[in-house]
Amino acid sequence: QVQLVESGGGLVQPGGSLRLSCAASGSILSLFTMGWYRQAPGKQRELVATTTRGGSTRYADSVKGRFTISRDNAKITVDLQMNSLKPEDTAIYYCYADSIVTTFETYWGQGTQVTVSS
């Protein structure tokens, strides 16, 4: 019903920046929360940043002050500006969205690899 496609991942040196983008398509009018999760090798998937339809944001403590999430409600896209990247930011980053119009549903993108290394 909803498809999420991420872009913008890649290889960057420590201290550098990347910008991730996620585009939603399908039954997009009901989406409430959109954002980003990440999963590093051998670790659990964790929240990075989310934003609601009304603009409320949530960040993981590890990325506060470095990452900024933004949402375009007209185009139904969500971006993640990542600055001052650290090696521990290396992970697969997944776009996330949910809807609570009828039943609570969640949607996930296929993921994009971010590698921070010198």
Side-chain angles (χ1 to χ4, degrees):
Q1 189 173 4
V2 173
Q3 295 81 47
L4 304 174
V5 180
E6 306 100 330
S7 63
L11 174 65
V12 65
Q13 293 184 344
S17 298
L18 283 175
R19 187 176 183 89
L20 305 182
S21 296
C22 175
S25 61
S27 300
I28 59 177
L29 296 179
S30 64
L31 296 181
F32 183 71
T33 305
M34 295 187 70
W36 296 89
Y37 287 69
R38 68 186 181 187
Q39 187 166 19
K43 293 187 176 181
Q44 298 275 85
R45 186 180 299 182
E46 64 175 352
L47 181 146
V48 178
T50 60
T51 182
T52 67
R53 191 168 53 205
S56 179
T57 59
R58 179 184 178 189
Y59 293 92
D61 288 341
S62 60
V63 307
K64 286 181 179 178
R66 299 188 298 121
F67 293 7
T68 303
I69 190 168
S70 60
R71 178 174 180 171
D72 186 328
N73 288 320
K75 298 180 180 179
I76 315 300
T77 61
V78 60
D79 291 357
L80 184 70
Q81 178 64 48
M82 306 186 295
N83 299 326
S84 302
L85 283 162
K86 304 174 181 179
E88 51 263 44
D89 294 317
T90 296
I92 301 174
Y93 284 70
Y94 296 91
C95 184
Y96 165 89
D98 64 38
S99 173
I100 54 172
V101 173
T102 54
T103 60
F104 182 74
E105 297 184 359
T106 60
Y107 307 94
W108 295 94
Q110 66 181 21
T112 185
Q113 178 70 48
V114 172
T115 302
V116 184
S117 176
S118 59

